Amino acid sequence: MQSTLRLAIVGLGLVGKRHADAVALVPDVELVAVADPNESGQDAAVGMGIPCFETIHGMFKSVQLDGVILATPTLLHVEQAITCIENKCPVLVEKPIGASTKEALALVQMARARDIPLLVGHHRRHNPLIQKAKEALDGGLIGTIRAVQGTCWFYKPDHYFEAAPWRKRNGAGPVSVNLVHDIDLIRYLCGEVTAVHAVAAPSVRGFENEDVASAILEFSNGVIGTISVSDSVVAPWSWEFTSRENPQYPPIPESCYLIGGSEGSLSLPDLRLWSHLDRRQDWWTPLSSTTLTRAASDPLVNQIAHFKDVIMKKAIPLVSGQEGLRTLQVIETIQLSAKHRTRLDIQDLTASDVEAYRTVV
């Protein structure tokens, strides 16, 4: 392997361009190729002075690569990731890992069998504030976690949907497009979700998908969670507004996650820790708060640096294919539960399940 890693991006749209900017900020990593059949992506690649190919297959035939970032539509993720693995190339797939648990499961098994790194782009885990929250929770600062509450409310303007009509269709609502981020973080911080009971309401704008949904989450460790998402509510309580992660969104000093424990509670992303004075669990005792300190850096840049370390075998994936698969599985179960208005257990993906789905590949 060369001293400077050679990366490629497949799909140079809005997300792909953000990845390109992140690659440029990571030492010893170079963006050497782009694959994009669209004229806009090709023009962007030309502007960067980077060779652009119409297909991922053509790119692999022409360029030697150490890693690939897939920033394409979800329906293409598994097919293109398989192409990377067949070319023995580590791959970072944008979230969600695939369009269905069934196809994603086969992809994860294939990558594992061939020992090719497969990472999923749940970049929020790479945010220093999330790492600090993870450290605090694992260190017992709030005692035993008992409950978690998440809110993902915002209002997407009409032109957002007019620009891409597929966003109005079934499967493109806020549960699959937005809530997948929040579910991944809640899993990371609080444990595995084993059952859900969800409800959803049809879009008031007349679209095919939902525009509001809520779910009760049951965890393997006994935690109970509630989460709500809507892209038709005017409100400040979402990760986009509160985390200051993406400068495109105006920052608001609010929280969108509340994690409650036996000795205290933690709100995010403000990292505010609440407990009774002298750690006395007594509702007659005054509560006090302190804000945990943490470093600040761009999680997308951190994610590329981590991808580099994984390629060089200096680290194991923070968000592996298996992790991305499990998050997708929770999202799928929420959608199915909302459809049938019933509580559903989440199937444990065992080796026999993997074997059963092997034919997808």
Side-chain angles (χ1 to χ4, degrees), residues 143-148 186-187 189-195 216-226 259-262 343:
T144 301
I145 301 175
R146 300 292 292 126
V148 58
I186 287 173
R187 284 188 53 248
L189 296 173
C190 300
E192 286 298 347
V193 180
T194 56
I216 299 172
L217 311 174
E218 300 176 36
F219 294 73
S220 61
N221 54 11
V223 173
I224 298 294
T226 55
I259 303 174
S262 58
R343 176 189 176 278

Side-chain angles (χ1 to χ4, degrees), residues 4-12 14-34 48 50 65-71 92 94 298-308 311:
T4 298
L5 295 186
R6 297 165 57 85
L7 299 185
I9 295 176
V10 181
L12 203 58
L14 292 176
V15 176
K17 290 174 183 175
R18 291 190 69 198
H19 281 299
D21 291 340
V23 169
L25 296 175
V26 178
D28 301 322
V29 174
E30 180 182 7
L31 182 61
V32 299
V34 167
M48 297 176 184
I50 298 169
L65 298 169
D66 297 308
V68 169
I69 302 165
L70 296 181
L92 168 61
E94 257 304 328
D298 188 336
L300 282 176
V301 175
N302 297 342
Q303 182 175 243
I304 298 299
H306 175 70
F307 188 30
K308 177 186 76 170
I311 294 171

Side-chain angles (χ1 to χ4, degrees), residues 70-246:
L70 296 181
T72 49
T74 301
L75 290 174
L76 300 177
H77 285 180
V78 168
E79 175 188 348
Q80 293 176 337
I82 287 174
T83 298
C84 294
I85 292 168
E86 288 174 340
N87 283 273
K88 301 179 180 180
C89 186
V91 57
L92 168 61
V93 186
E94 257 304 328
K95 65 81 193 169
I97 186 174
S100 73
T101 296
K102 182 176 180 179
E103 65 171 10
L105 182 58
L107 168 62
V108 170
Q109 174 62 12
M110 181 182 185
R112 182 182 297 149
R114 302 196 183 190
D115 195 26
I116 304 297
L118 170 63
L119 289 72
V120 183
H122 288 290
H123 68 276
R124 293 181 185 176
R125 291 201 196 188
H126 294 274
N127 193 314
L129 76 86
I130 291 301
Q131 295 301 315
K132 186 66 176 183
K134 178 71 169 172
E135 176 186 323
L137 295 171
D138 289 351
L141 283 189
I142 69 168
T144 301
I145 301 175
R146 300 292 292 126
V148 58
Q149 177 179 311
T151 305
C152 182
W153 293 350
F154 38 74
Y155 197 97
K156 293 178 180 175
D158 291 342
H159 64 75
Y160 170 87
F161 300 98
E162 298 303 329
W166 62 267
R167 292 168 175 162
K168 304 178 183 180
R169 298 173 185 162
N170 282 327
V175 170
S176 57
V177 173
N178 304 105
L179 195 65
V180 64
H181 279 301
D182 303 279
I183 289 294
D184 186 72
L185 278 190
I186 287 173
R187 284 188 53 248
Y188 181 57
L189 296 173
C190 300
E192 286 298 347
V193 180
T194 56
V196 304
H197 195 162
V199 293
S203 166
V204 294
R205 304 188 221 199
F207 302 158
E208 294 177 6
N209 51 43
E210 80 286 345
D211 70 358
V212 62
S214 294
I216 299 172
L217 311 174
E218 300 176 36
F219 294 73
S220 61
N221 54 11
V223 173
I224 298 294
T226 55
I227 193 160
S228 178
V229 62
S230 178
D231 61 9
S232 294
V233 168
V234 175
W237 304 294
S238 69
W239 180 264
E240 285 79 9
F241 281 142
T242 60
S243 68
R244 303 173 186 267
E245 190 176 86
N246 186 339

Side-chain angles (χ1 to χ4, degrees), residues 275-297:
S275 62
H276 285 291
L277 296 179
D278 301 323
R279 307 290 285 188
R280 292 170 57 192
Q281 295 101 311
D282 179 352
W283 67 349
W284 301 114
T285 303
L287 282 163
S288 63
S289 70
T290 184
T291 301
L292 304 180
T293 59
R294 46 86 180 184
S297 57

